[in-house]
Amino acid sequence: MPERLVIVGGDAAGMSAAAQTRRRRDASELEIVAFERGPYTSYSACGIPYYVGDTVKELETLIVRSPDEFRKRNDIDALIHHEVTAIDLDARKVTVRDLESSTERAEGFDQLVVATGATPIKPNWPGIDSAGVFGVQVLEEGVAIRRWVDDEKPARAVVIGSGYIGIEMAEALKMRGVDVALVERAPQPLTTLDEDMGAVVAEQMRAMGIELFLEEKVTGIEQSNGRASAVVTDERTLPADIVVLGIGVRPNTEIAEAAGIEIGTSGGIKVDRQMRTSADGVWSAGDCAEKFHRVSRKGVAIPLGTHANKEGRVAGINIGGGYETFPGVVGTATSKVCDIEVARTGLKVTEAAEAGFRFVTDTSDSTTRAGYFPDTRPIKTKLVVECQSGRLLGAQIIGEEGAAKRIDVFATALWNQMSVAEMLNLDLSYAPPFAPVWDPVLIAARKAWHLVEETMLVDPE
Ligand SMILES: Cc1cc2nc3c(=O)[nH]c(=O)nc-3n(C[C@H](O)[C@H](O)[C@H](O)COP(=O)(O)OP(=O)(O)OC[C@H]3O[C@@H](n4cnc5c(N)ncnc54)[C@H](O)[C@@H]3O)c2cc1C
């Protein structure tokens, strides 16, 4: 009898783990079965806003591999519409509910990967279950939103929550000709940025015609004939023909926790560097798993596809008998809203303070191309830098182009614990169409280093 690997969750982390394992162990040695409760496997949730906004025309292009392809190409049995409802570690069995036939059965495993992703936060507001109110987490929700926009032709949308999913959905709806209002209880959009940088994003979103209602709490959703008709906040009532929830997510650890698998301080499943959980033969990867932050040295829950794919690969290599480790994250993320690119890496001010660093911050304004070059655009860079050592702790960039890719230079520097003094002479590329002679990255590093030097003179402790 071959050994049996069961995967719970058929997207980025789960199916990366399955595919990597299969590369190392063939079907005569290891049977691989994946259970996915939704209708798709290996899809790009990241592409949902672009599918809704019609930048991506065909749904099929967001699906990397279907269950049929997994069966034919990888000898992996990927069963959609199958939800795992419980894990029994002693009996080495999972309980699986077939959502089409509404029947339940037990399935045995020798090894198990929990790749259940994240659960969107859904408050208990009156009216939240009305037609026309959508979450955005899995592909079927993206499909439902696009269908609603195509068929119902909403004139007004309210997006609740302004994390990167909220702002990307605001852009998508705007691109479809819908008037968009965005409600956020924090004083700024994108709370992964410092407040001053968030304020810049707010200003630019307003200039693009997106209405922003900050520091307002939603209290309910009004409906008419079962359909959402308005979002009510503690300040006003906003008419809405479609409501999109982007309030955030938490690691989906329910079945793991119930089975007694250890949960980390961030709320994600605790894993070691090989992606093993506290239970023998049970692995975890992706949004449901805790990550190690290389700058704060803390466990964090950062739900990003880039991590899910890498962690799934690492788990799969190890299950397959190889050896690989996941070295952690530095908190790099990027997004765009209309013409504005927003990117961050490392720690923002409050995070650096919480992690116990003493630091300085500096914000510099520059341009994306040589000043004389046509279409040069402003770009703003903020750095958080440790006192004395000058070690880079975090960076945030807002610009009309080049922010997303420039953040990768800072991410690489952070990864290698570089100081801004080491960064300021980095051999970065220069030609007038791509950068000023002093790239914004180098200007930011140079200015921050001067500040660190000044702090040293004042307080040479
Ligand atoms: C709109 C949007 C935009 C995004 N943009 C970006 C981006 O630009 N860059 C980036 O890095 N990341 C982005 N992400 C995040 C990225 O999509 C996720 O981090 C990634 O999909 C996580 O992969 P995962 O496999 O861990 O979880 P998921 O993709 O959530 O997959 C988990 C799967 O498990 C299934 N499942 C859960 N519980 C069970 C169960 N009990 N039984 C069976 N199946 C179960 C779910 O149906 C789901 O399909 C975006 C996400 C969204 C929603």
Side-chain angles (χ1 to χ4, degrees):
M1 278 282 280
E3 215 182 305
R4 193 164 204 242
L5 168 65
V6 165
I7 310 269
V8 191
D11 192 23
M15 298 320 287
S16 297
Q20 281 296 331
T21 307
R22 175 57 80 226
R23 286 172 68 153
R24 284 161 182 81
R25 298 179 70 182
D26 68 29
S28 63
E29 207 190 315
L30 181 78
E31 183 191 355
I32 305 179
V33 187
F35 296 110
E36 165 55 52
R37 66 181 171 200
Y40 306 104
T41 52
S42 273
Y43 51 88
S44 171
C46 314
I48 292 173
Y50 307 100
Y51 177 63
V52 171
D54 204 33
T55 306
V56 172
K57 310 276 179 212
E58 303 295 333
L59 178 69
E60 291 65 38
T61 57
L62 297 183
I63 301 165
V64 183
R65 204 165 285 186
S66 67
D68 220 30
E69 288 170 302
F70 274 114
R71 209 155 293 130
K72 285 190 189 128
R73 291 171 58 174
N74 307 82
D75 247 326
I76 292 171
D77 215 5
L79 301 174
I80 53 172
H81 302 302
H82 280 72
E83 181 171 16
V84 172
T85 55
I87 303 167
D88 185 336
L89 291 173
D90 296 328
R92 311 298 285 173
K93 285 192 166 93
V94 290
T95 307
V96 182
R97 187 163 180 78
D98 179 335
L99 300 174
E100 279 176 346
S101 64
S102 295
T103 53
E104 237 173 48
R105 63 180 189 270
E107 293 267 358
F109 64 85
D110 297 295
Q111 309 230 36
L112 181 73
V113 176
V114 181
T116 43
T119 305
I121 294 163
K122 194 175 171 193
N124 202 10
W125 295 322
I128 193 147
D129 292 320
S130 316
V133 179
F134 298 93
V136 196
Q137 180 64 22
V138 284
L139 192 52
E140 52 270 35
E141 290 170 315
V143 173
I145 297 174
R146 178 156 168 161
R147 194 172 300 137
W148 186 273
V149 175
D150 288 346
D151 296 349
E152 305 296 328
K153 310 220 174 335
R156 294 153 308 183
V158 176
V159 176
I160 306 174
S162 68
Y164 74 91
I165 292 179
I167 68 163
E168 287 175 9
M169 289 307 298
E171 173 186 2
L173 290 163
K174 195 143 182 28
M175 284 177 70
R176 298 295 305 273
V178 184
D179 286 340
V180 181
L182 202 146
V183 183
E184 166 61 57
R185 71 176 174 189
Q188 62 171 97
L190 286 176
T191 52
T192 49
L193 301 178
D194 286 331
E195 260 187 55
D196 52 346
M197 294 296 269
V200 175
V201 178
E203 194 186 304
Q204 303 202 355
M205 285 177 74
R206 285 190 172 118
M208 288 164 206
I210 295 173
E211 279 190 289
L212 272 186
F213 299 98
L214 302 172
E215 294 185 87
E216 286 192 27
K217 286 198 187 110
V218 171
T219 55
I221 294 167
E222 284 180 0
Q223 49 168 296
S224 151
N225 300 325
R227 292 164 63 117
S229 58
V231 170
V232 184
T233 77
D234 48 6
E235 302 266 335
R236 71 195 82 233
T237 297
L238 294 162
D241 307 311
I242 178 172
V243 178
V244 175
L245 308 174
I247 314 171
V249 295
R250 55 182 166 73
N252 178 3
T253 59
E254 211 174 304
I255 54 170
E257 208 171 343
I261 295 168
E262 196 179 339
I263 304 299
T265 48
S266 67
I269 297 170
K270 204 170 163 75
V271 286
D272 69 8
R273 62 190 68 220
Q274 288 188 55
M275 309 311 298
R276 286 185 296 222
T277 70
S278 61
D280 191 32
V282 182
W283 311 71
S284 184
D287 287 359
C288 59
E290 182 166 88
K291 287 123 195 44
F292 171 68
H293 198 295
R294 292 167 63 98
V295 186
S296 69
R297 318 295 293 174
K298 290 181 182 165
V300 290
I302 299 182
L304 286 175
T306 176
H307 307 322
N309 281 285
K310 290 173 193 143
E311 290 177 345
R313 173 180 168 273
V314 168
I317 290 173
N318 292 318
I319 298 167
Y323 174 67
E324 183 64 284
T325 58
F326 185 68
V329 303
V330 292
T332 311
T334 186
S335 186
K336 80 180 255 299
V337 52
C338 302
D339 294 333
I340 301 302
E341 292 181 11
V342 184
R344 57 99 68 205
T345 188
L347 307 178
K348 62 175 186 170
V349 163
T350 47
E351 293 165 339
E354 252 169 51
F357 286 106
R358 194 167 166 200
F359 56 87
V360 293
T361 64
D362 186 65
T363 304
S364 48
D365 289 297
S366 177
T367 55
T368 54
R369 307 173 185 200
Y372 53 80
F373 204 84
D375 294 330
T376 189
R377 296 274 182 260
I379 188 164
K380 191 182 274 300
T381 307
K382 178 172 182 178
L383 298 189
V384 182
V385 176
E386 188 179 26
C387 291
Q388 304 287 53
S389 71
R391 178 185 160 195
L392 180 69
L393 299 175
Q396 297 159 48
I397 310 181
I398 301 170
E400 282 179 42
E401 61 180 11
K405 280 302 148 192
R406 281 189 171 95
I407 207 72
D408 289 342
V409 177
F410 288 115
T412 309
L414 268 178
W415 190 271
N416 291 298
Q417 301 197 12
M418 286 173 74
S419 75
V420 282
E422 288 169 305
M423 287 189 73
L424 60 87
N425 284 318
L426 276 178
D427 183 9
L428 302 184
S429 61
Y430 161 64
F434 305 110
V437 68
W438 281 89
D439 189 273
V441 169
L442 302 177
I443 293 173
R446 196 179 66 197
K447 282 188 66 210
W449 177 240
H450 288 163
L451 208 57
V452 171
E453 283 184 312
E454 277 170 29
T455 330
M456 279 185 200
L457 292 177
V458 175
D459 181 5
E461 161 193 330

